[in-house]
Amino acid sequence: MIRTATPADIPVIHALVRELAEYEKALEEARATPEQLHEALFGPRPAAYAHIAVDDTTGEPAGFALWFLNFSTWRGVHGIYLEDLYVRPEARGTGHGKALLTELARICVERGYQRLEWSVLNWNRPSIDFYESLGARAQDEWTVYRLTDGALQSLGSSR
């Protein structure tokens, strides 16, 4: 079962973000606090949205998807950028990941969005194989760039 996250889900979303960061071998980079997640998802100007996958047998959260809107100047419409998709190891292979992606694709179709995009680490072959089995294709002619920390501060402070 997939459901829209509520404010009561913030502790589990925070825990799942940290589990994902640990899986991706980058736990030290996961600095978001529960308060920040609450503000981003449920504050006066939400910047992101989340869905929770719930195990049908136990009723416990099995995974989540956290996403936000992007915009294509070429297509002239919004799309969804999937920031995080994570299913707990013990729940993998039971359809939760596919159900989360299906829900986001349904939202795209319903709202007229024309893209559902995300990034995956190059070493994460199980996820790559899963995404390709759904019809997703790598956009390998593009390279992602990022400014953070000191480089962002330096550029943002220059005139």
Side-chain angles (χ1 to χ4, degrees):
M1 176 181 73
I2 305 301
R3 64 174 175 74
T4 302
T6 69
D9 291 314
I10 291 298
V12 76
I13 292 169
H14 185 254
L16 290 166
V17 166
R18 298 205 39 91
E19 288 177 32
L20 171 61
E22 187 170 26
Y23 173 75
E24 291 183 349
K25 302 171 180 73
L27 184 56
E28 68 285 350
E29 294 178 42
R31 295 180 260 182
T33 66
E35 295 78 19
Q36 288 171 314
L37 291 171
H38 186 276
E39 182 69 18
L41 293 167
F42 304 107
R45 292 181 14 216
Y49 308 90
H51 285 80
I52 305 293
V54 178
D55 186 280
D56 291 333
T57 306
T58 66
E60 293 296 314
F64 82 117
L66 194 144
W67 56 277
F68 56 88
L69 295 179
N70 59 15
F71 185 81
S72 169
T73 56
W74 289 19
R75 300 249 177 147
V77 296
H78 282 292
I80 287 178
Y81 186 83
L82 175 60
E83 179 65 21
D84 287 331
L85 174 71
Y86 178 72
V87 174
R88 288 181 159 148
E90 63 273 15
R92 291 182 190 153
T94 59
H96 296 297
K98 183 177 182 182
L100 285 163
L101 285 170
T102 299
E103 176 62 13
L104 297 186
R106 186 196 63 73
I107 291 169
C108 286
V109 170
E110 177 182 276
R111 298 181 187 177
Y113 303 162
Q114 295 187 11
R115 291 182 179 165
L116 172 55
E117 299 178 303
W118 62 92
S119 297
V120 61
L121 290 166
N122 292 333
W123 59 259
N124 194 345
R125 181 45 59 186
S127 292
I128 291 167
D129 291 344
F130 167 64
Y131 299 144
E132 289 180 351
S133 77
L134 299 176
R137 296 295 166 248
Q139 301 296 297
D140 53 10
E141 67 271 15
W142 295 87
T143 299
V144 176
Y145 281 83
R146 179 179 295 160
L147 280 171
T148 61
D149 303 325
L152 178 63
Q153 291 297 318
S154 178
L155 183 60
S157 300
S158 65
R159 293 214 176 233

